Amino acid sequence: LFGRVSFAQSTAPFPQLVSLHWVPSSLGDPWPRWRFGVDYVGNNRWAYGLDIGWGNAQLNGFQLEDMDLSPKYSLIEVRPELKYLLGRRPRRAFYTATELFFIKNIDQLENAHYYPRGSDYAVTFDFADMHRTKVGAHLKLGVKLIALKRFDFDIYWGIGAARRQIDYNNVVN
């Protein structure tokens, strides 16, 4: 047996919608960045999103951890997302989603250490240039709550996998 959902009304069950958003919590991250995005909801149950983030040393002081960014700090982030709307009410929408992500950042670290690949011993340094690349995907289940017709809160839970590569160059002891 095969099941199929169909609608007999003349208007679409999920009207088209384009929304722009800002993710303020990304400023408090150890690698702070401005993050903005756009979501498009089609006439069906599918929605598409794209978030772009970038950061530089001007964001010093925003992060929650006691960590200073060097003048060399930079970050770029891209997050495409595909959502399937499970149900929609006037002030909330439940969804499941797949989000891919790519993050690349550069910084000059001071008085720190790292563990070289395949080694149990730390390398301590006075200065080093760090290059970090992280790629991965998340599976999410969430709800968008709409307040005052202007603000929405996207609350989600998820699980994912990522691959991270961190390289250190110009190490000075």
Side-chain angles (χ1 to χ4, degrees), residues 6-150:
S6 60
F7 300 95
Q9 66 264 31
S10 61
T11 59
F14 296 95
Q16 289 183 344
L17 173 69
V18 174
S19 66
L20 302 173
H21 58 268
W22 170 48
V23 182
S25 61
S26 62
L27 287 171
D29 195 85
W31 309 107
R33 63 228 178 239
W34 294 105
R35 187 167 143 197
F36 296 92
V38 61
D39 283 332
Y40 168 73
V41 179
N43 282 332
N44 53 27
R45 292 180 176 266
W46 293 100
Y48 314 91
L50 179 66
D51 282 16
I52 303 287
W54 73 94
N56 59 28
Q58 303 302 318
L59 296 176
N60 220 350
F62 279 101
Q63 67 272 33
L64 298 176
E65 293 185 15
D66 186 24
M67 184 175 150
D68 284 330
L69 303 171
S70 78
K72 291 185 175 183
Y73 174 73
S74 69
L75 182 141
I76 185 75
E77 169 182 45
V78 180
R79 293 177 174 267
E81 183 175 43
L82 176 63
K83 292 181 182 176
Y84 182 75
L85 303 175
L86 300 172
R88 194 186 225 179
R89 302 265 191 258
R91 295 193 181 262
R92 67 184 180 272
F94 294 93
Y95 68 87
T96 184
T98 299
E99 177 187 55
L100 304 176
F101 60 88
F102 171 83
I103 302 170
K104 173 78 175 171
N105 78 298
I106 298 168
D107 201 0
Q108 184 178 55
L109 303 180
E110 200 175 312
N111 299 319
H113 67 276
Y114 71 95
Y115 291 89
R117 284 186 198 96
S119 174
D120 294 333
Y121 300 101
V123 173
T124 303
F125 56 82
D126 295 328
F127 295 97
D129 292 337
M130 187 240 4
H131 298 259
R132 179 178 78 114
T133 303
K134 186 175 178 181
V135 295
H138 297 130
L139 296 175
K140 302 187 323 187
L141 181 63
V143 60
K144 273 197 178 228
L145 302 172
I146 299 165
L148 306 172
K149 294 184 182 182
R150 289 247 184 228

